[in-house]
Amino acid sequence: MKCPYCGHLDSKVVDSRPAEEGASIRRRRECLSCQKRFTTYETVESLPLVVVKKDGSRQTFEKRKVLNGMIRACEKRPVSIDTLEAIADQIEQNIQNSLEREYSTEKIGELVMENLKKVDEVAYVRFASVYRQFKDINTFMAELNKLLQEK
């Protein structure tokens, strides 16, 4: 590792510990030439996930967009932001763990609805109404009836 102070290429690791909830490793290093210490972070390089939208266009996956959609669905509902962030993290992890590099918005929406249904049924129906683009009250009622039958 190149020293940021003197440019020497050799350093030793003085301390190493997990960082960012285990997503990376924080290392304290000491330059073997000038003896100054510096910190480095080691993370796993991940391939960018591509989302295929309904119109066929592609863009990179952004967990923030999933989280914002869930926040809107949970507005004025007793669901904490921590719960929604955990769901968004889980969805991102599921997508990362899949062997697919391209993921459709339909699959992502289904994952969101599956998780919202467990947390808050009203939020689930709100999200589903926008996501599935309910055209009239009959399609809305059909979704509600399906939810009631599952109980």
Side-chain angles (χ1 to χ4, degrees), residues 42-68:
E42 183 177 309
T43 59
V44 174
E45 184 178 31
S46 60
L47 297 172
L49 294 170
V50 176
V51 176
V52 181
K53 302 189 72 134
K54 289 179 184 176
D55 66 359
S57 64
R58 287 166 167 70
Q59 58 184 226
T60 56
F61 175 81
E62 293 180 42
K63 181 176 67 174
R64 176 186 48 80
K65 288 184 178 182
V66 172
L67 183 60
N68 286 343

